[in-house]
Amino acid sequence: MKILSIQSAVAYGHVGNSAAVFPLQRIGVEVLPVYTVTFSNHTGYGAWRGPLISPDDVREVITGIEERGVFPEIDVVLSGYQGSEGIGDVIVDAVARVKAANPDAVYACDPVMGNAKSGCFVAPAIPVLLREKVVPAADIITPNQFELGFLTGTEPATIDETLEAADLARAMGPKTVLVTSVERPDRADGTIEMLVVDDAGAWIVQTPLLPMKANGSGDVTAALFTAHYRRTGSAAEALASTTSSVFDLLRTTHESGQRELALVESQEFYAHPRLQFAVQQVR
């Protein structure tokens, strides 16, 4: 499998491609990383250095890959946080060109906008761009529950509301919706869930909620789910493997006491998920 991953990069820590690439490689995926920024560290520290890469330069890198004749071999285009409006146009164009070369290729978009605690943290134009142009071009999207609501103009809380919002999102174009950070009011204390919906049904999985915030965990989740789903064709299997790997990554990180993801230390959990959480079909 080959994945063209168009995301940010940091030298210190793990977000964007600096979070997604290694877990994908560890499960046997060939990754072609294209960087949209090259920062010293993620912006959550409040200070960082390094350049934003202009949309024209990102496009040039993608064109160079195309000129090597690789596009017919690409199975997935993956994108995450989009720092500027121009990057969205470059990604959608790249998806169209890859699909022209390989009609079986899919586009997986993590529509990063914000979360329930901090609200939207991207430029005001980005959610509009995602909703109107990027998400309709995607086959798979991986929003958190807050982002799903923003995309669909809803405020999903219960399972039924979240399923309805996922269906609204699927009507926009994507066939598959993975909803992360699902926090329904009637869940058990100290738990959090993920829900996936596709043409075959809907499945949910519950894990303990660890008392931590880890930048980059969503990037790892989107990458692993997309790869497992593409490989197996089963949303339930992909959900089980991804949840297991990401929980153990977060648990290892929490136990380390470090702020950054224990990405390398957790590598066996990507290659050999323990599958310790039951996936329940809800539709």
PDB file of all heavy atoms in Angstrom, residues 248-280:
ATOM      1  N   ASP A 248      -3.153   2.342  23.553  1.00  0.00           N
ATOM      2  CA  ASP A 248      -1.874   1.938  24.148  1.00  0.00           C
ATOM      3  C   ASP A 248      -0.796   2.996  23.921  1.00  0.00           C
ATOM      4  O   ASP A 248       0.089   3.180  24.762  1.00  0.00           O
ATOM      5  CB  ASP A 248      -1.437   0.581  23.599  1.00  0.00           C
ATOM      6  CG  ASP A 248      -2.135  -0.576  24.317  1.00  0.00           C
ATOM      7  OD1 ASP A 248      -2.487  -0.413  25.505  1.00  0.00           O
ATOM      8  OD2 ASP A 248      -2.334  -1.646  23.698  1.00  0.00           O
ATOM      9  N   LEU A 249      -0.857   3.701  22.803  1.00  0.00           N
ATOM     10  CA  LEU A 249       0.044   4.842  22.592  1.00  0.00           C
ATOM     11  C   LEU A 249      -0.206   5.914  23.654  1.00  0.00           C
ATOM     12  O   LEU A 249       0.752   6.438  24.263  1.00  0.00           O
ATOM     13  CB  LEU A 249      -0.183   5.415  21.184  1.00  0.00           C
ATOM     14  CG  LEU A 249       0.383   6.807  20.896  1.00  0.00           C
ATOM     15  CD1 LEU A 249       1.901   6.819  20.997  1.00  0.00           C
ATOM     16  CD2 LEU A 249      -0.079   7.290  19.513  1.00  0.00           C
ATOM     17  N   LEU A 250      -1.462   6.246  23.893  1.00  0.00           N
ATOM     18  CA  LEU A 250      -1.788   7.277  24.883  1.00  0.00           C
ATOM     19  C   LEU A 250      -1.456   6.816  26.303  1.00  0.00           C
ATOM     20  O   LEU A 250      -0.951   7.604  27.118  1.00  0.00           O
ATOM     21  CB  LEU A 250      -3.271   7.650  24.774  1.00  0.00           C
ATOM     22  CG  LEU A 250      -3.659   8.415  23.507  1.00  0.00           C
ATOM     23  CD1 LEU A 250      -5.174   8.570  23.417  1.00  0.00           C
ATOM     24  CD2 LEU A 250      -2.986   9.782  23.457  1.00  0.00           C
ATOM     25  N   ARG A 251      -1.735   5.545  26.585  1.00  0.00           N
ATOM     26  CA  ARG A 251      -1.409   5.015  27.919  1.00  0.00           C
ATOM     27  C   ARG A 251       0.103   5.082  28.169  1.00  0.00           C
ATOM     28  O   ARG A 251       0.551   5.511  29.246  1.00  0.00           O
ATOM     29  CB  ARG A 251      -1.913   3.576  28.033  1.00  0.00           C
ATOM     30  CG  ARG A 251      -1.610   2.910  29.370  1.00  0.00           C
ATOM     31  CD  ARG A 251      -2.077   1.456  29.384  1.00  0.00           C
ATOM     32  NE  ARG A 251      -1.518   0.690  28.273  1.00  0.00           N
ATOM     33  CZ  ARG A 251      -0.268   0.207  28.238  1.00  0.00           C
ATOM     34  NH1 ARG A 251       0.566   0.440  29.250  1.00  0.00           N
ATOM     35  NH2 ARG A 251       0.158  -0.496  27.203  1.00  0.00           N
ATOM     36  N   THR A 252       0.877   4.671  27.178  1.00  0.00           N
ATOM     37  CA  THR A 252       2.336   4.699  27.305  1.00  0.00           C
ATOM     38  C   THR A 252       2.831   6.135  27.483  1.00  0.00           C
ATOM     39  O   THR A 252       3.720   6.410  28.289  1.00  0.00           O
ATOM     40  CB  THR A 252       2.989   4.070  26.065  1.00  0.00           C
ATOM     41  OG1 THR A 252       2.497   2.736  25.908  1.00  0.00           O
ATOM     42  CG2 THR A 252       4.501   4.025  26.197  1.00  0.00           C
ATOM     43  N   THR A 253       2.237   7.060  26.741  1.00  0.00           N
ATOM     44  CA  THR A 253       2.606   8.472  26.849  1.00  0.00           C
ATOM     45  C   THR A 253       2.271   9.003  28.241  1.00  0.00           C
ATOM     46  O   THR A 253       3.093   9.680  28.883  1.00  0.00           O
ATOM     47  CB  THR A 253       1.861   9.295  25.782  1.00  0.00           C
ATOM     48  OG1 THR A 253       2.184   8.796  24.482  1.00  0.00           O
ATOM     49  CG2 THR A 253       2.236  10.763  25.867  1.00  0.00           C
ATOM     50  N   HIS A 254       1.080   8.685  28.726  1.00  0.00           N
ATOM     51  CA  HIS A 254       0.657   9.148  30.057  1.00  0.00           C
ATOM     52  C   HIS A 254       1.589   8.617  31.139  1.00  0.00           C
ATOM     53  O   HIS A 254       2.011   9.363  32.040  1.00  0.00           O
ATOM     54  CB  HIS A 254      -0.775   8.692  30.308  1.00  0.00           C
ATOM     55  CG  HIS A 254      -1.338   9.148  31.620  1.00  0.00           C
ATOM     56  ND1 HIS A 254      -1.367  10.468  32.001  1.00  0.00           N
ATOM     57  CD2 HIS A 254      -1.878   8.441  32.647  1.00  0.00           C
ATOM     58  CE1 HIS A 254      -1.913  10.563  33.207  1.00  0.00           C
ATOM     59  NE2 HIS A 254      -2.228   9.352  33.615  1.00  0.00           N
ATOM     60  N   GLU A 255       1.942   7.342  31.024  1.00  0.00           N
ATOM     61  CA  GLU A 255       2.825   6.728  32.030  1.00  0.00           C
ATOM     62  C   GLU A 255       4.231   7.316  31.992  1.00  0.00           C
ATOM     63  O   GLU A 255       4.943   7.318  32.996  1.00  0.00           O
ATOM     64  CB  GLU A 255       2.869   5.206  31.819  1.00  0.00           C
ATOM     65  CG  GLU A 255       1.554   4.523  32.182  1.00  0.00           C
ATOM     66  CD  GLU A 255       1.502   3.057  31.741  1.00  0.00           C
ATOM     67  OE1 GLU A 255       2.472   2.595  31.089  1.00  0.00           O
ATOM     68  OE2 GLU A 255       0.496   2.387  32.046  1.00  0.00           O
ATOM     69  N   SER A 256       4.631   7.828  30.830  1.00  0.00           N
ATOM     70  CA  SER A 256       5.973   8.401  30.695  1.00  0.00           C
ATOM     71  C   SER A 256       6.096   9.759  31.382  1.00  0.00           C
ATOM     72  O   SER A 256       7.204  10.211  31.692  1.00  0.00           O
ATOM     73  CB  SER A 256       6.335   8.555  29.215  1.00  0.00           C
ATOM     74  OG  SER A 256       5.668   9.691  28.637  1.00  0.00           O
ATOM     75  N   GLY A 257       4.941  10.427  31.564  1.00  0.00           N
ATOM     76  CA  GLY A 257       4.961  11.757  32.149  1.00  0.00           C
ATOM     77  C   GLY A 257       5.414  12.845  31.196  1.00  0.00           C
ATOM     78  O   GLY A 257       5.549  14.005  31.588  1.00  0.00           O
ATOM     79  N   GLN A 258       5.639  12.477  29.931  1.00  0.00           N
ATOM     80  CA  GLN A 258       6.098  13.440  28.931  1.00  0.00           C
ATOM     81  C   GLN A 258       4.915  14.094  28.228  1.00  0.00           C
ATOM     82  O   GLN A 258       3.840  13.522  28.129  1.00  0.00           O
ATOM     83  CB  GLN A 258       6.991  12.748  27.905  1.00  0.00           C
ATOM     84  CG  GLN A 258       8.237  12.115  28.496  1.00  0.00           C
ATOM     85  CD  GLN A 258       9.170  13.124  29.149  1.00  0.00           C
ATOM     86  OE1 GLN A 258       9.545  14.123  28.529  1.00  0.00           O
ATOM     87  NE2 GLN A 258       9.530  12.876  30.404  1.00  0.00           N
ATOM     88  N   ARG A 259       5.146  15.271  27.667  1.00  0.00           N
ATOM     89  CA  ARG A 259       4.080  15.979  26.963  1.00  0.00           C
ATOM     90  C   ARG A 259       3.879  15.429  25.549  1.00  0.00           C
ATOM     91  O   ARG A 259       2.754  15.393  25.055  1.00  0.00           O
ATOM     92  CB  ARG A 259       4.430  17.473  26.891  1.00  0.00           C
ATOM     93  CG  ARG A 259       3.433  18.291  26.073  1.00  0.00           C
ATOM     94  CD  ARG A 259       3.653  19.782  26.224  1.00  0.00           C
ATOM     95  NE  ARG A 259       2.691  20.540  25.424  1.00  0.00           N
ATOM     96  CZ  ARG A 259       2.549  21.849  25.472  1.00  0.00           C
ATOM     97  NH1 ARG A 259       3.318  22.558  26.287  1.00  0.00           N
ATOM     98  NH2 ARG A 259       1.654  22.476  24.720  1.00  0.00           N
ATOM     99  N   GLU A 260       4.968  15.041  24.898  1.00  0.00           N
ATOM    100  CA  GLU A 260       4.885  14.560  23.521  1.00  0.00           C
ATOM    101  C   GLU A 260       4.564  13.071  23.475  1.00  0.00           C
ATOM    102  O   GLU A 260       4.930  12.313  24.378  1.00  0.00           O
ATOM    103  CB  GLU A 260       6.197  14.829  22.785  1.00  0.00           C
ATOM    104  CG  GLU A 260       6.490  16.314  22.572  1.00  0.00           C
ATOM    105  CD  GLU A 260       5.552  16.968  21.575  1.00  0.00           C
ATOM    106  OE1 GLU A 260       4.881  16.241  20.809  1.00  0.00           O
ATOM    107  OE2 GLU A 260       5.489  18.214  21.556  1.00  0.00           O
ATOM    108  N   LEU A 261       3.888  12.652  22.399  1.00  0.00           N
ATOM    109  CA  LEU A 261       3.522  11.251  22.233  1.00  0.00           C
ATOM    110  C   LEU A 261       4.745  10.331  22.287  1.00  0.00           C
ATOM    111  O   LEU A 261       5.777  10.635  21.677  1.00  0.00           O
ATOM    112  CB  LEU A 261       2.826  11.040  20.880  1.00  0.00           C
ATOM    113  CG  LEU A 261       1.428  11.624  20.707  1.00  0.00           C
ATOM    114  CD1 LEU A 261       0.966  11.419  19.273  1.00  0.00           C
ATOM    115  CD2 LEU A 261       0.437  10.984  21.677  1.00  0.00           C
ATOM    116  N   ALA A 262       4.591   9.209  22.978  1.00  0.00           N
ATOM    117  CA  ALA A 262       5.642   8.180  23.004  1.00  0.00           C
ATOM    118  C   ALA A 262       5.517   7.340  21.728  1.00  0.00           C
ATOM    119  O   ALA A 262       5.247   6.130  21.771  1.00  0.00           O
ATOM    120  CB  ALA A 262       5.499   7.318  24.254  1.00  0.00           C
ATOM    121  N   LEU A 263       5.736   7.988  20.602  1.00  0.00           N
ATOM    122  CA  LEU A 263       5.400   7.401  19.302  1.00  0.00           C
ATOM    123  C   LEU A 263       6.272   6.198  18.964  1.00  0.00           C
ATOM    124  O   LEU A 263       5.769   5.156  18.521  1.00  0.00           O
ATOM    125  CB  LEU A 263       5.537   8.467  18.206  1.00  0.00           C
ATOM    126  CG  LEU A 263       4.880   8.133  16.878  1.00  0.00           C
ATOM    127  CD1 LEU A 263       3.376   8.382  16.961  1.00  0.00           C
ATOM    128  CD2 LEU A 263       5.487   8.952  15.746  1.00  0.00           C
ATOM    129  N   VAL A 264       7.574   6.327  19.179  1.00  0.00           N
ATOM    130  CA  VAL A 264       8.493   5.241  18.831  1.00  0.00           C
ATOM    131  C   VAL A 264       8.402   4.118  19.858  1.00  0.00           C
ATOM    132  O   VAL A 264       8.374   2.932  19.503  1.00  0.00           O
ATOM    133  CB  VAL A 264       9.933   5.787  18.718  1.00  0.00           C
ATOM    134  CG1 VAL A 264      10.918   4.652  18.456  1.00  0.00           C
ATOM    135  CG2 VAL A 264      10.015   6.828  17.600  1.00  0.00           C
ATOM    136  N   GLU A 265       8.325   4.483  21.131  1.00  0.00           N
ATOM    137  CA  GLU A 265       8.246   3.479  22.193  1.00  0.00           C
ATOM    138  C   GLU A 265       7.023   2.570  22.045  1.00  0.00           C
ATOM    139  O   GLU A 265       7.018   1.437  22.530  1.00  0.00           O
ATOM    140  CB  GLU A 265       8.205   4.154  23.564  1.00  0.00           C
ATOM    141  CG  GLU A 265       9.441   4.977  23.901  1.00  0.00           C
ATOM    142  CD  GLU A 265       9.343   6.425  23.451  1.00  0.00           C
ATOM    143  OE1 GLU A 265       8.713   6.717  22.411  1.00  0.00           O
ATOM    144  OE2 GLU A 265       9.922   7.279  24.152  1.00  0.00           O
ATOM    145  N   SER A 266       5.990   3.069  21.399  1.00  0.00           N
ATOM    146  CA  SER A 266       4.718   2.338  21.293  1.00  0.00           C
ATOM    147  C   SER A 266       4.605   1.527  20.007  1.00  0.00           C
ATOM    148  O   SER A 266       3.525   1.032  19.678  1.00  0.00           O
ATOM    149  CB  SER A 266       3.552   3.327  21.375  1.00  0.00           C
ATOM    150  OG  SER A 266       3.599   4.076  22.565  1.00  0.00           O
ATOM    151  N   GLN A 267       5.698   1.352  19.298  1.00  0.00           N
ATOM    152  CA  GLN A 267       5.603   0.802  17.956  1.00  0.00           C
ATOM    153  C   GLN A 267       5.019  -0.606  17.887  1.00  0.00           C
ATOM    154  O   GLN A 267       4.334  -0.951  16.918  1.00  0.00           O
ATOM    155  CB  GLN A 267       6.960   0.842  17.262  1.00  0.00           C
ATOM    156  CG  GLN A 267       8.057   0.032  17.927  1.00  0.00           C
ATOM    157  CD  GLN A 267       9.360   0.176  17.157  1.00  0.00           C
ATOM    158  OE1 GLN A 267       9.488  -0.340  16.046  1.00  0.00           O
ATOM    159  NE2 GLN A 267      10.314   0.893  17.722  1.00  0.00           N
ATOM    160  N   GLU A 268       5.255  -1.424  18.896  1.00  0.00           N
ATOM    161  CA  GLU A 268       4.707  -2.790  18.846  1.00  0.00           C
ATOM    162  C   GLU A 268       3.183  -2.782  18.917  1.00  0.00           C
ATOM    163  O   GLU A 268       2.528  -3.710  18.441  1.00  0.00           O
ATOM    164  CB  GLU A 268       5.285  -3.647  19.971  1.00  0.00           C
ATOM    165  CG  GLU A 268       6.748  -4.020  19.763  1.00  0.00           C
ATOM    166  CD  GLU A 268       6.986  -4.711  18.420  1.00  0.00           C
ATOM    167  OE1 GLU A 268       6.255  -5.684  18.119  1.00  0.00           O
ATOM    168  OE2 GLU A 268       7.890  -4.280  17.675  1.00  0.00           O
ATOM    169  N   PHE A 269       2.617  -1.738  19.497  1.00  0.00           N
ATOM    170  CA  PHE A 269       1.152  -1.652  19.585  1.00  0.00           C
ATOM    171  C   PHE A 269       0.516  -1.333  18.233  1.00  0.00           C
ATOM    172  O   PHE A 269      -0.669  -1.579  18.032  1.00  0.00           O
ATOM    173  CB  PHE A 269       0.737  -0.596  20.622  1.00  0.00           C
ATOM    174  CG  PHE A 269       1.196  -0.907  22.011  1.00  0.00           C
ATOM    175  CD1 PHE A 269       1.952   0.013  22.745  1.00  0.00           C
ATOM    176  CD2 PHE A 269       0.889  -2.126  22.607  1.00  0.00           C
ATOM    177  CE1 PHE A 269       2.376  -0.273  24.031  1.00  0.00           C
ATOM    178  CE2 PHE A 269       1.312  -2.421  23.905  1.00  0.00           C
ATOM    179  CZ  PHE A 269       2.054  -1.497  24.613  1.00  0.00           C
ATOM    180  N   TYR A 270       1.283  -0.752  17.301  1.00  0.00           N
ATOM    181  CA  TYR A 270       0.763  -0.563  15.946  1.00  0.00           C
ATOM    182  C   TYR A 270       0.856  -1.875  15.174  1.00  0.00           C
ATOM    183  O   TYR A 270      -0.087  -2.286  14.500  1.00  0.00           O
ATOM    184  CB  TYR A 270       1.533   0.510  15.160  1.00  0.00           C
ATOM    185  CG  TYR A 270       1.959   1.721  15.941  1.00  0.00           C
ATOM    186  CD1 TYR A 270       3.229   2.274  15.779  1.00  0.00           C
ATOM    187  CD2 TYR A 270       1.089   2.332  16.847  1.00  0.00           C
ATOM    188  CE1 TYR A 270       3.624   3.384  16.496  1.00  0.00           C
ATOM    189  CE2 TYR A 270       1.480   3.439  17.565  1.00  0.00           C
ATOM    190  CZ  TYR A 270       2.757   3.957  17.393  1.00  0.00           C
ATOM    191  OH  TYR A 270       3.159   5.058  18.109  1.00  0.00           O
ATOM    192  N   ALA A 271       2.005  -2.512  15.300  1.00  0.00           N
ATOM    193  CA  ALA A 271       2.253  -3.739  14.523  1.00  0.00           C
ATOM    194  C   ALA A 271       1.411  -4.902  15.025  1.00  0.00           C
ATOM    195  O   ALA A 271       0.980  -5.751  14.231  1.00  0.00           O
ATOM    196  CB  ALA A 271       3.736  -4.094  14.583  1.00  0.00           C
ATOM    197  N   HIS A 272       1.179  -4.937  16.336  1.00  0.00           N
ATOM    198  CA  HIS A 272       0.445  -6.062  16.937  1.00  0.00           C
ATOM    199  C   HIS A 272      -0.587  -5.541  17.936  1.00  0.00           C
ATOM    200  O   HIS A 272      -0.400  -5.630  19.152  1.00  0.00           O
ATOM    201  CB  HIS A 272       1.424  -7.018  17.647  1.00  0.00           C
ATOM    202  CG  HIS A 272       2.547  -7.470  16.778  1.00  0.00           C
ATOM    203  ND1 HIS A 272       2.368  -8.354  15.736  1.00  0.00           N
ATOM    204  CD2 HIS A 272       3.869  -7.138  16.784  1.00  0.00           C
ATOM    205  CE1 HIS A 272       3.532  -8.566  15.139  1.00  0.00           C
ATOM    206  NE2 HIS A 272       4.454  -7.838  15.744  1.00  0.00           N
ATOM    207  N   PRO A 273      -1.706  -4.961  17.452  1.00  0.00           N
ATOM    208  CA  PRO A 273      -2.734  -4.435  18.365  1.00  0.00           C
ATOM    209  C   PRO A 273      -3.263  -5.526  19.291  1.00  0.00           C
ATOM    210  O   PRO A 273      -3.473  -6.667  18.851  1.00  0.00           O
ATOM    211  CB  PRO A 273      -3.833  -3.940  17.418  1.00  0.00           C
ATOM    212  CG  PRO A 273      -3.205  -3.841  16.071  1.00  0.00           C
ATOM    213  CD  PRO A 273      -2.104  -4.838  16.037  1.00  0.00           C
ATOM    214  N   ARG A 274      -3.482  -5.174  20.541  1.00  0.00           N
ATOM    215  CA  ARG A 274      -3.963  -6.173  21.504  1.00  0.00           C
ATOM    216  C   ARG A 274      -5.449  -6.474  21.342  1.00  0.00           C
ATOM    217  O   ARG A 274      -5.934  -7.476  21.865  1.00  0.00           O
ATOM    218  CB  ARG A 274      -3.702  -5.677  22.933  1.00  0.00           C
ATOM    219  CG  ARG A 274      -2.221  -5.593  23.293  1.00  0.00           C
ATOM    220  CD  ARG A 274      -2.047  -5.363  24.775  1.00  0.00           C
ATOM    221  NE  ARG A 274      -2.569  -4.059  25.203  1.00  0.00           N
ATOM    222  CZ  ARG A 274      -3.147  -3.845  26.387  1.00  0.00           C
ATOM    223  NH1 ARG A 274      -3.349  -4.850  27.231  1.00  0.00           N
ATOM    224  NH2 ARG A 274      -3.565  -2.624  26.723  1.00  0.00           N
ATOM    225  N   LEU A 275      -6.185  -5.596  20.657  1.00  0.00           N
ATOM    226  CA  LEU A 275      -7.629  -5.786  20.414  1.00  0.00           C
ATOM    227  C   LEU A 275      -8.383  -6.024  21.718  1.00  0.00           C
ATOM    228  O   LEU A 275      -9.201  -6.939  21.843  1.00  0.00           O
ATOM    229  CB  LEU A 275      -7.855  -6.945  19.436  1.00  0.00           C
ATOM    230  CG  LEU A 275      -7.167  -6.784  18.065  1.00  0.00           C
ATOM    231  CD1 LEU A 275      -7.402  -8.020  17.201  1.00  0.00           C
ATOM    232  CD2 LEU A 275      -7.645  -5.516  17.346  1.00  0.00           C
ATOM    233  N   GLN A 276      -8.086  -5.164  22.707  1.00  0.00           N
ATOM    234  CA  GLN A 276      -8.641  -5.358  24.052  1.00  0.00           C
ATOM    235  C   GLN A 276     -10.016  -4.723  24.263  1.00  0.00           C
ATOM    236  O   GLN A 276     -10.617  -4.883  25.309  1.00  0.00           O
ATOM    237  CB  GLN A 276      -7.648  -4.819  25.095  1.00  0.00           C
ATOM    238  CG  GLN A 276      -7.434  -3.301  25.102  1.00  0.00           C
ATOM    239  CD  GLN A 276      -6.353  -2.826  24.157  1.00  0.00           C
ATOM    240  OE1 GLN A 276      -6.309  -3.223  23.017  1.00  0.00           O
ATOM    241  NE2 GLN A 276      -5.474  -1.950  24.639  1.00  0.00           N
ATOM    242  N   PHE A 277     -10.536  -4.014  23.234  1.00  0.00           N
ATOM    243  CA  PHE A 277     -11.821  -3.335  23.378  1.00  0.00           C
ATOM    244  C   PHE A 277     -12.836  -3.911  22.396  1.00  0.00           C
ATOM    245  O   PHE A 277     -12.565  -4.026  21.205  1.00  0.00           O
ATOM    246  CB  PHE A 277     -11.664  -1.832  23.143  1.00  0.00           C
ATOM    247  CG  PHE A 277     -10.660  -1.201  24.081  1.00  0.00           C
ATOM    248  CD1 PHE A 277      -9.450  -0.728  23.590  1.00  0.00           C
ATOM    249  CD2 PHE A 277     -10.929  -1.096  25.442  1.00  0.00           C
ATOM    250  CE1 PHE A 277      -8.521  -0.155  24.436  1.00  0.00           C
ATOM    251  CE2 PHE A 277     -10.004  -0.525  26.296  1.00  0.00           C
ATOM    252  CZ  PHE A 277      -8.797  -0.050  25.808  1.00  0.00           C
ATOM    253  N   ALA A 278     -14.018  -4.232  22.915  1.00  0.00           N
ATOM    254  CA  ALA A 278     -15.072  -4.820  22.074  1.00  0.00           C
ATOM    255  C   ALA A 278     -15.725  -3.748  21.214  1.00  0.00           C
ATOM    256  O   ALA A 278     -16.056  -2.668  21.701  1.00  0.00           O
ATOM    257  CB  ALA A 278     -16.122  -5.495  22.947  1.00  0.00           C
ATOM    258  N   VAL A 279     -15.901  -4.076  19.945  1.00  0.00           N
ATOM    259  CA  VAL A 279     -16.600  -3.191  19.014  1.00  0.00           C
ATOM    260  C   VAL A 279     -18.046  -3.658  18.908  1.00  0.00           C
ATOM    261  O   VAL A 279     -18.316  -4.829  18.663  1.00  0.00           O
ATOM    262  CB  VAL A 279     -15.914  -3.212  17.630  1.00  0.00           C
ATOM    263  CG1 VAL A 279     -16.752  -2.481  16.609  1.00  0.00           C
ATOM    264  CG2 VAL A 279     -14.521  -2.600  17.723  1.00  0.00           C
ATOM    265  N   GLN A 280     -18.976  -2.723  19.115  1.00  0.00           N
ATOM    266  CA  GLN A 280     -20.397  -3.069  19.139  1.00  0.00           C
ATOM    267  C   GLN A 280     -21.106  -2.456  17.930  1.00  0.00           C
ATOM    268  O   GLN A 280     -20.961  -1.268  17.642  1.00  0.00           O
ATOM    269  CB  GLN A 280     -21.031  -2.518  20.427  1.00  0.00           C
ATOM    270  CG  GLN A 280     -22.530  -2.742  20.535  1.00  0.00           C
ATOM    271  CD  GLN A 280     -23.130  -2.031  21.749  1.00  0.00           C
ATOM    272  OE1 GLN A 280     -22.423  -1.487  22.575  1.00  0.00           O
ATOM    273  NE2 GLN A 280     -24.453  -2.032  21.834  1.00  0.00           N
TER     274      GLN A 280
END
